[in-house]
Amino acid sequence: MRSIFSSCLVSGKSRKKQRQGKGKTEGSVSIFLIMVLAFVFLFTAVLIDYARIAAFNVQEERLARASVRSVMSSYDVELREKYGLFAFGESDGDMLLSQVLNDNMHKSGRSDVFNLVPFVLETSSLKWSRPLGSYDVVSRQILEEMKYKAPVDFALELAGKFKPMSGVMAEASRVTELLSKLQPLYDEREEALDLMLERRRQAAESGRRLLQSIMDPLAETISASSLGSIQSAADIPAQYSDYLGKYYDDLYRDSKKPAKYTYQLSLYRSRTTEMLSRFPGLLTAFREDHERSMEGANEAIKKAEQLNDEMRNILEQSRMEGVNLSNDPANDWDIPGSSGEISSDPLKKLREQEDALILSSTDLSQMENSISTQQSAYGAIEPIVTGMSGVLYEALSEYGDSYQMISSVLEASRVVNNYLQNYGKKGSIIVSDLAVIEQHRSSDKERKQLEREAKSKLGEAKALLDKIRMMGNGVTDSLTSYQTLRQYYEENIAFNKELVSDSLVKSEVSTNPYTAGSSAMEDMDGIYAAMGGIMGGARDRLFQTEYSAFYFQHFDVSKLATLAKGSEGTTELTDQLNPQAQELEYILYGFHNPAGNVAAAYAEIFAMRLSIRTMEGFIEKASLGNPLAVLAAALLYGIQQAIQDMLLLCEKNSITLSKYLPAQLTYRDHLRLFMMLHGGGNVQLSRMLALIRLNTGINPDERSTYVSSNIKLGMRLWFLPGVVKLLDYSAGYSGEVQGSTYMRTVQADFSY
């Protein structure tokens, strides 16, 4: 450029000399040419540097992105291979970045290469974030890992197996729920009716002492007898004739002779007075006891009516809700089901018989009328007994009417005795009322026997569950591992700074058949609801569930076979009590002890088998008629079959879904179902991350999955850096000019 400029000046001077010889106006052309050339030079130089700057910016962007990708290619291989997760490894990221940048800036060994955009590295740095231990990060990676696997596996392996029996299970659940609510109310109502009859008996029996004081023993006549002890009111008229005889003997004796019967006559009068004085107290005691007992009878019948109304309301509410419920919760599942389908007709017919459990208003009115009739019968006793006492006071004088006294005693004894015969112990009316009540209790004895057997069988299942819990006693090494696992879990919870509700899943088997059955049916409803949610698009829970089942080890259930058969040996179970042998159970239940998670899984599988087998029991025992008897029989059948299922599962690791469906379910399949029911939350994520840390020694909380790189490069400007810097204020380039060097900082981000 300088040589060209110099030659132009020389030629300009020579032309100037020539023009000076010809005229003075030719010099202006040379000055104008110089100005034009200067402007062209300025424009060209600035344009060249701007072109170089644009190329520099593009190349720097590409280099930044390529370098940060190169850095993040150093992911942890163990995490990827074992768990399908990405996180940066243990390498020095800054060193990797510098190495990659320097390698890209290395000059070629050729001397004839012209580098239009030479640049140098000024500074480089990395900023790490989004550790793998964060819930949102690990959830996203799980979603990416499982989005092509989980939907197909779930639909084909599980949902298709359960679809054919969804309708009958829904019906069985509603029947079990309804009858389990009615059963305690029914028993309480029947107890109230029994109490009502018992209080009526007690009311009548409270007059037994009164009857004994009137006549004991009972007889149709009263025979005359000599003066003596007076044990009842009947003895007063019986001895009255002898009393009169002795009285007149003394009255008409020889005046010179002393009275012979003064003491005996006085003793008769005192005994009569003492006997008659008892009756007001006896009547008062009878009245108070009778009123108290009859009040109890009235309260009992009112309670029975209240309970009967509650039963009716529950039944009506259940039927109203049943109208709005779909018979088959799997109707909308757009998948083919496995072969076969179970009819729910027997259960629907059973529901038609539920009205038999409700007492009609006529029955209850008859019971109330019977109580009123008894009260009226009692009302006739006190006046007659009081009248008898008034008549018997005549025995204290010589003017008494023996016949009238005998008649009053016989009448009083007859009225009181009839009352006792009708309403007392084994009273005819009470027995008749009991027979009316027993008409709707035709299956109660059989039902009670079934309940006792079912409770006994549940006790066996609970005993085995207790044995499983005891397996972990004394296993020190496993317990230590669980303590470490708990520490990792709690650290991850604290790292995420969330208040996580770590509510553990129940792991008990109730000894009440109705409670166990209702709970099992409720859990099955939950499983179908979870399946429905997943089929409707709730993908996150499914992905997390299937991820857990795919990457984490579950317990070898065959190790429980000997224990399930009654053996006490647990030596072969030692290796299965470590966290690494029951990872899936730990993720699901979260117990930090060697046997708690296995016991919880066993209890929940038993509950699921109980629900399915109880459904079968409804179909098998529907012929019993009485709904509560059918429920008791179905529960007993379900418990017995569920126990056998658990033994078969331990022996073969799989069981038939139902007697009516041939599909097989493995132990792992059951855990997948329960993960859908309980899993999908942050608690399970923390448990997974704790297991990953325990198994690999890698702390996910410290491993980043996102990086931002800041790279500052410089390029020397060829022309007029001042002009470039000046123009930069208006053009707004992202870099800056420092001296004769153009500097620019670029940020590049990358995430796994």
Side-chain angles (χ1 to χ4, degrees):
M1 286 290 184
R2 291 178 180 177
S3 60
I4 295 173
F5 186 67
S6 299
S7 62
C8 290
L9 290 176
V10 172
S11 61
K13 289 179 179 181
S14 62
R15 285 194 299 270
K16 184 176 181 182
K17 289 179 180 180
Q18 292 175 359
R19 285 193 300 268
Q20 286 176 351
K22 297 179 179 180
K24 297 182 179 180
T25 59
E26 294 181 357
S28 60
V29 176
S30 299
I31 296 173
F32 177 75
L33 180 60
I34 292 171
M35 293 177 61
V36 170
L37 290 176
F39 178 78
V40 170
F41 170 74
L42 176 64
F43 177 78
T44 304
V46 172
L47 184 63
I48 291 172
D49 271 348
Y50 263 61
R52 293 177 66 239
I53 288 172
F56 172 79
N57 289 344
V58 172
Q59 191 166 351
E60 185 182 22
E61 291 282 354
R62 292 176 178 175
L63 179 59
R65 288 194 292 269
S67 61
V68 77
R69 286 197 301 269
S70 297
V71 170
M72 293 300 278
S73 66
S74 182
Y75 57 81
D76 195 293
V77 177
E78 187 176 9
L79 281 178
R80 176 67 189 116
E81 292 180 349
K82 286 187 175 180
Y83 299 103
L85 302 176
F86 285 95
F88 188 72
E90 296 180 340
S91 305
D92 188 332
D94 291 314
M95 182 179 294
L96 287 174
L97 179 63
S98 298
Q99 182 178 352
V100 171
L101 292 173
N102 289 327
D103 289 344
N104 278 273
M105 295 178 195
H106 182 68
K107 295 182 179 179
S108 171
R110 295 177 57 180
S111 60
D112 58 344
V113 174
F114 176 71
N115 192 353
L116 181 64
V117 188
F119 51 83
V120 294
L121 175 65
E122 295 292 332
T123 60
S124 64
S125 63
L126 294 173
K127 182 179 180 182
W128 298 95
S129 61
R130 301 182 189 178
L132 183 61
S134 299
Y135 293 145
D136 56 343
V137 173
V138 69
S139 295
R140 180 178 55 80
Q141 291 205 20
I142 289 174
L143 184 150
E144 292 295 327
E145 177 69 11
M146 302 304 297
K147 64 182 178 182
Y148 298 114
K149 302 176 183 178
V152 176
D153 290 347
F154 170 78
L156 296 182
E157 293 182 23
L158 289 180
K161 295 178 181 179
F162 278 81
K163 184 177 180 180
M165 69 173 190
S166 59
V168 69
M169 282 305 304
E171 188 66 31
S173 177
R174 286 196 287 271
V175 170
T176 302
E177 180 184 8
L178 172 63
L179 295 182
S180 294
K181 289 180 180 178
L182 293 178
Q183 180 268 330
L185 296 175
Y186 174 90
D187 285 344
E188 194 174 357
R189 186 194 68 188
E190 297 308 300
E191 289 176 2
L193 294 178
D194 289 339
L195 179 61
M196 179 267 295
L197 293 177
E198 181 60 28
R199 290 290 181 264
R200 291 176 62 188
R201 290 192 194 96
Q202 291 175 357
E205 285 296 327
S206 62
R208 182 74 63 182
R209 287 182 57 197
L210 177 62
L211 178 60
Q212 292 173 348
S213 297
I214 294 172
M215 178 181 284
D216 189 22
L218 291 174
E220 295 182 358
T221 61
I222 298 177
S223 302
S225 62
S226 301
L227 294 178
S229 62
I230 296 178
Q231 301 296 329
S232 66
D235 292 335
I236 296 174
Q239 298 177 21
Y240 185 67
S241 296
D242 189 40
Y243 168 78
L244 287 178
K246 289 182 171 55
Y247 172 78
Y248 285 114
D249 283 347
D250 279 352
L251 181 63
Y252 298 113
R253 73 183 186 281
D254 188 348
S255 58
K256 295 180 180 180
K257 295 181 179 180
K260 294 171 57 177
Y261 304 110
T262 302
Y263 175 74
Q264 291 177 317
L265 296 175
S266 175
L267 189 60
Y268 171 79
R269 287 191 294 270
S270 64
R271 287 173 176 172
T272 298
T273 302
E274 191 274 332
M275 172 55 70
L276 294 177
S277 66
R278 295 181 189 174
F279 283 98
L282 290 171
L283 285 172
T284 299
F286 182 25
R287 181 173 59 254
E288 292 176 351
D289 292 344
H290 191 278
E291 288 178 353
R292 184 165 50 251
S293 296
M294 291 304 289
E295 183 179 354
N298 282 307
E299 291 176 355
I301 192 63
K302 288 180 181 178
K303 183 177 181 181
E305 291 174 350
Q306 177 186 353
L307 293 167
N308 194 66
D309 289 339
E310 289 183 27
M311 293 173 64
R312 181 181 290 106
N313 292 336
I314 290 174
L315 182 56
E316 291 176 354
Q317 182 179 2
S318 175
R319 288 175 176 172
M320 291 176 61
E321 292 175 352
V323 173
N324 299 324
L325 292 175
S326 171
N327 291 330
D328 188 349
N331 271 338
D332 298 331
W333 296 3
D334 189 17
I335 57 171
S338 59
S339 59
E341 187 172 351
I342 309 174
S343 173
S344 60
D345 290 342
L347 285 87
K348 292 179 180 178
K349 291 180 180 179
L350 178 63
R351 297 200 69 181
E352 295 174 359
Q353 303 174 16
E354 293 162 352
D355 286 321
L357 300 175
I358 310 299
L359 291 176
S360 67
S361 56
T362 302
D363 293 334
L364 293 171
S365 296
Q366 289 177 352
M367 295 177 192
E368 291 179 339
N369 292 337
S370 185
I371 294 175
S372 299
T373 302
Q374 181 176 353
Q375 192 68 44
S376 298
Y378 162 77
I381 292 176
E382 188 168 352
I384 292 177
V385 174
T386 302
M388 178 201 70
S389 297
V391 171
L392 291 181
Y393 268 108
E394 296 179 1
L396 299 177
S397 70
E398 63 276 16
Y399 304 110
D401 186 341
S402 180
Y403 176 79
Q404 187 178 4
M405 286 189 288
I406 291 174
S407 297
S408 64
V409 171
L410 291 175
E411 178 64 15
S413 64
R414 182 187 63 79
V415 171
V416 177
N417 183 57
N418 286 343
Y419 182 72
L420 286 169
Q421 290 296 317
N422 289 331
Y423 300 104
K425 189 176 182 181
K426 297 182 181 180
S428 58
I429 295 179
I430 293 295
V431 170
S432 177
D433 289 349
L434 178 60
V436 173
I437 294 175
E438 291 288 350
Q439 288 179 359
H440 69 271
R441 296 178 177 177
S442 56
S443 302
D444 280 9
K445 291 183 179 179
E446 181 182 3
R447 175 173 64 87
K448 294 293 184 182
Q449 178 61 30
L450 292 171
E451 289 175 357
R452 287 191 290 269
E453 293 179 20
K455 188 173 183 179
S456 175
K457 287 295 182 181
L458 278 176
E460 294 178 12
K462 189 175 186 303
L464 178 57
L465 187 62
D466 292 338
K467 286 183 181 179
I468 295 175
R469 285 199 187 90
M470 298 295 289
M471 292 188 311
N473 291 353
V475 188
T476 307
D477 294 340
S478 297
L479 188 58
T480 302
S481 298
Y482 272 104
Q483 291 173 347
T484 303
L485 186 61
R486 184 185 196 123
Q487 175 188 342
Y488 293 163
Y489 165 76
E490 292 175 348
E491 287 179 2
N492 183 259
I493 292 290
F495 173 77
N496 282 281
K497 298 179 181 179
E498 290 194 9
L499 295 176
V500 178
S501 177
D502 192 4
S503 56
L504 300 178
V505 179
K506 61 184 178 182
S507 61
E508 289 291 339
V509 173
S510 174
T511 55
N512 185 317
Y514 297 102
T515 302
S518 296
S519 178
M521 289 295 181
E522 183 179 350
D523 290 345
M524 182 58 75
D525 289 343
I527 289 175
Y528 271 104
M531 286 184 182
I534 288 172
M535 300 305 295
R539 62 176 187 173
D540 291 351
R541 173 174 290 193
L542 171 61
F543 291 158
Q544 187 171 320
T545 294
E546 294 300 285
Y547 177 82
S548 302
F550 189 81
Y551 282 104
F552 292 92
Q553 179 67 32
H554 63 76
F555 182 80
D556 184 0
V557 72
S558 65
K559 301 294 185 181
L560 291 178
T562 55
L563 195 65
K565 292 178 180 178
S567 174
E568 298 294 334
T570 58
T571 305
E572 62 180 2
L573 288 170
T574 303
D575 61 332
Q576 289 293 313
L577 298 178
N578 295 320
Q580 292 82 358
Q582 43 181 283
E583 295 173 338
L584 192 52
E585 289 84 355
Y586 169 72
I587 293 171
L588 180 55
Y589 301 107
F591 290 98
H592 291 95
N593 60 73
N597 298 299
V598 177
Y602 183 93
E604 197 160 16
I605 294 174
F606 177 80
M608 178 178 168
R609 299 311 306 170
L610 174 59
S611 66
I612 295 174
R613 293 299 195 175
T614 299
M615 174 272 294
E616 297 174 2
F618 277 120
I619 298 174
E620 295 289 324
K621 306 298 181 180
S623 59
L624 291 178
N626 185 288
L628 291 182
V630 173
L631 174 61
L635 288 172
L636 176 59
Y637 174 91
I639 294 167
Q640 292 172 334
Q641 295 301 316
I643 291 174
Q644 294 301 316
D645 286 344
M646 297 307 296
L647 180 59
L648 187 63
L649 180 64
C650 293
E651 291 177 347
K652 298 185 177 181
N653 192 38
S654 67
I655 49 179
T656 303
L657 179 58
S658 169
K659 175 182 179 180
Y660 306 107
L661 293 174
Q664 294 288 315
L665 281 183
T666 65
Y667 175 74
R668 177 175 172 269
D669 289 336
H670 286 89
L671 296 182
R672 291 168 68 194
L673 290 170
F674 303 146
M675 280 294 294
M676 283 191 301
L677 181 61
H678 308 301
N682 293 338
V683 171
Q684 284 76 24
L685 288 176
S686 287
R687 294 170 187 165
M688 288 185 205
L689 294 168
L691 282 170
I692 291 173
R693 182 177 177 183
L694 181 70
N695 294 336
T696 63
I698 299 170
N699 186 356
D701 303 346
E702 299 174 353
R703 293 299 180 89
S704 299
T705 64
Y706 190 97
V707 66
S708 294
S709 65
N710 284 283
I711 301 171
K712 186 176 184 181
L713 299 179
M715 180 186 70
R716 187 175 183 82
L717 297 173
W718 287 350
F719 308 103
L720 305 174
V723 176
V724 174
K725 185 175 183 181
L726 179 64
L727 293 177
D728 183 34
Y729 292 122
S730 60
Y733 283 107
S734 56
E736 61 179 351
V737 178
Q738 296 180 3
S740 62
T741 304
Y742 173 76
M743 300 286 186
R744 182 172 182 264
T745 301
V746 66
Q747 177 178 321
D749 299 328
F750 188 89
S751 175
Y752 291 124

